[in-house]
Amino acid sequence: MSERPTSEALVDEYLAHLRVERNLSPNTLKAYSADLASFLSWAEREDVHVLDLDHRRLRRYLADLDRARYAKRTIARRLAAVRSLYRYLVMRGHTTGSPAAVLSTPKLPRELPAVAPAQLLERLLDTPDAATPLGVRDRAIIELLYATGVRVSELTGLDLGSVDLPGGAIRVMGKGSRERIVPMHPAAVRRLRDYLATGRPALLGAEPTEAFFLNRLGTRLTSGGVRRMLEKHLTAVGASAQITPHDLRHSFATHLLEGGADLRTVQELLGHVALSTTQIYTHVSTKHLRDVHKGAHPRA
């Protein structure tokens, strides 16, 4: 009889499955790895193998997280990672049933996505200095984020061949290696042309690269670099609230719906697999309609 794999070996096998067979993004893999490392540390303190856990002991794991004052959203995410792990272990025949299957997810408050005010966006789009290579780059990035609603990882992953300026579109690689074409409006195309004409050549170092957006060292710009850049320009316009690249994605979707776009189109543009993921923006749009009604109707 072969020796049973350790808990750590089973988790490593599962993470390899996510990386190789499901081709998840590095950021998603990092999140799974961190959540399962927390679970393994708890199981080690409890002196129990993951294959020996039942639903009662697993419920104690959730209770311990709650007592440690973890946010409900964090607890829900960690439970989701554990559920996914056990589904894999059952599929591969390591165990016959999942102790996580009967556990309920903590009830989470429904949070509406943050939407940047239109007036702030107008100021932000023109804040970077168009007389410098970095300023030209930053104007192109902020315009592109708001024009297309792409994720920051999709933006930094763009290569020269991913951008079709004559066609007014970009090709991005989304979650789960799903590729999609996203159209751009003329203002975004103009700013990308300016960046390619003056910004990128000035930033390009000695080593050639296919990366579209470059940092000051001439290498591919990172997601962290985009966030820091956005924070800098928000400070320059005196914004009281912080806006993230993802908030620009939310603003893109919400403003499309408010302008009359249908939900299916917005789903395709955002790269959402499920329509239910996109539907949260209808709540934001409905709130906008209520606010307009309240301010405009004489009996409101």
Side-chain angles (χ1 to χ4, degrees), residues 2 10 45 60 88 107 124 143 158 204 211 237 254 275:
S2 60
L10 290 173
R45 289 195 302 273
R60 194 158 77 201
Y88 170 80
K107 194 166 183 65
L124 184 62
E143 188 77 60
L158 286 174
L204 187 62
V237 298
T254 303
L275 186 63

Side-chain angles (χ1 to χ4, degrees), residues 247-274:
D247 292 337
L248 294 179
R249 177 173 165 85
H250 295 325
S251 303
F252 163 81
T254 303
H255 293 164
L256 279 181
L257 287 170
E258 289 176 356
D262 65 274
L263 201 60
R264 284 286 183 187
T265 299
V266 176
Q267 177 193 2
E268 289 293 325
L269 291 171
L270 292 175
H272 286 162
V273 175

Side-chain angles (χ1 to χ4, degrees), residues 50-93:
V50 295
L51 297 181
D52 295 332
L53 280 166
D54 58 22
H55 69 277
R56 293 181 183 85
R57 296 190 76 173
L58 201 50
R59 191 172 283 121
R60 194 158 77 201
Y61 169 58
L62 301 182
D64 286 348
L65 290 175
D66 187 56
R67 274 192 295 274
R69 306 227 171 185
Y70 281 95
K72 280 186 168 50
R73 197 168 296 280
T74 301
I75 296 173
R77 193 191 66 235
R78 290 190 178 179
L79 175 57
V82 170
R83 273 206 191 104
S84 186
L85 168 68
Y86 277 107
R87 279 197 299 269
Y88 170 80
L89 295 178
V90 170
M91 179 184 72
R92 289 298 167 94

Side-chain angles (χ1 to χ4, degrees), residues 113-139:
V115 178
Q119 301 90 333
L120 175 58
L121 281 174
E122 287 293 331
R123 286 158 50 211
L124 184 62
L125 287 165
D126 290 330
T127 296
D129 185 359
T132 68
L134 287 175
V136 173
R137 182 204 66 182
D138 295 353
R139 288 164 74 92

Side-chain angles (χ1 to χ4, degrees), residues 254 258 282-293:
T254 303
E258 289 176 356
T282 62
H283 296 278
V284 181
S285 189
T286 303
K287 179 181 181 299
H288 167 77
L289 293 177
R290 284 199 304 270
D291 290 343
V292 170
H293 178 271

Side-chain angles (χ1 to χ4, degrees), residues 9-296:
L10 290 173
V11 168
D12 286 345
E13 179 186 324
Y14 171 60
L15 292 174
H17 160 74
L18 295 181
R19 184 178 65 255
V20 177
E21 297 180 35
R22 291 186 52 190
N23 197 27
L24 296 189
S25 71
N27 286 339
T28 304
L29 282 171
K30 185 177 178 181
Y32 269 103
S33 181
D35 288 337
L36 291 174
S38 161
F39 174 57
L40 282 178
S41 296
W42 174 84
E44 186 177 348
R45 289 195 302 273
E46 292 287 308
D47 194 26
V48 60
H49 193 285
V50 295
L51 297 181
D52 295 332
L53 280 166
D54 58 22
H55 69 277
R56 293 181 183 85
R57 296 190 76 173
L58 201 50
R59 191 172 283 121
R60 194 158 77 201
Y61 169 58
L62 301 182
D64 286 348
L65 290 175
D66 187 56
R67 274 192 295 274
R69 306 227 171 185
Y70 281 95
K72 280 186 168 50
R73 197 168 296 280
T74 301
I75 296 173
R77 193 191 66 235
R78 290 190 178 179
L79 175 57
V82 170
R83 273 206 191 104
S84 186
L85 168 68
Y86 277 107
R87 279 197 299 269
Y88 170 80
L89 295 178
V90 170
M91 179 184 72
R92 289 298 167 94
H94 290 295
T95 185
T96 55
S98 168
V102 298
L103 298 183
S104 57
T105 302
K107 194 166 183 65
L108 301 174
R110 191 175 183 86
E111 293 182 2
L112 294 180
V115 178
Q119 301 90 333
L120 175 58
L121 281 174
E122 287 293 331
R123 286 158 50 211
L124 184 62
L125 287 165
D126 290 330
T127 296
D129 185 359
T132 68
L134 287 175
V136 173
R137 182 204 66 182
D138 295 353
R139 288 164 74 92
I141 289 173
I142 298 171
E143 188 77 60
L144 190 61
L145 286 171
Y146 180 48
T148 62
V150 293
R151 302 174 179 93
V152 65
S153 59
E154 294 170 346
L155 179 134
T156 56
L158 286 174
D159 288 331
L160 291 171
S162 309
V163 179
D164 177 13
L165 292 181
I170 57 173
R171 185 178 70 253
V172 298
M173 190 66 70
K175 290 185 176 180
S177 295
R178 289 184 295 271
E179 190 178 83
R180 69 184 189 282
I181 305 297
V182 186
M184 297 181 287
H185 54 60
V189 172
R190 284 195 299 272
R191 290 204 170 184
L192 292 186
R193 283 193 197 280
D194 290 343
Y195 167 68
L196 284 179
T198 62
R200 192 178 184 278
L203 293 172
L204 187 62
E207 293 295 323
T209 175
E210 285 298 302
F212 191 84
F213 286 113
L214 305 179
N215 58 28
R216 62 179 66 250
L217 300 177
T219 58
R220 185 182 297 274
L221 184 65
T222 65
S223 297
V226 174
R227 293 188 183 95
R228 289 188 294 273
M229 174 273 292
L230 193 55
E231 287 173 6
K232 180 184 76 173
H233 294 306
L234 282 167
T235 301
V237 298
S240 56
Q242 283 301 306
I243 298 172
T244 67
H246 213 69
D247 292 337
L248 294 179
R249 177 173 165 85
H250 295 325
S251 303
F252 163 81
T254 303
H255 293 164
L256 279 181
L257 287 170
E258 289 176 356
D262 65 274
L263 201 60
R264 284 286 183 187
T265 299
V266 176
Q267 177 193 2
E268 289 293 325
L269 291 171
L270 292 175
H272 286 162
V273 175
L275 186 63
S276 58
T277 309
T278 317
Q279 281 174 332
I280 189 162
Y281 295 107
T282 62
H283 296 278
V284 181
S285 189
T286 303
K287 179 181 181 299
H288 167 77
L289 293 177
R290 284 199 304 270
D291 290 343
V292 170
H293 178 271
K294 184 177 179 180

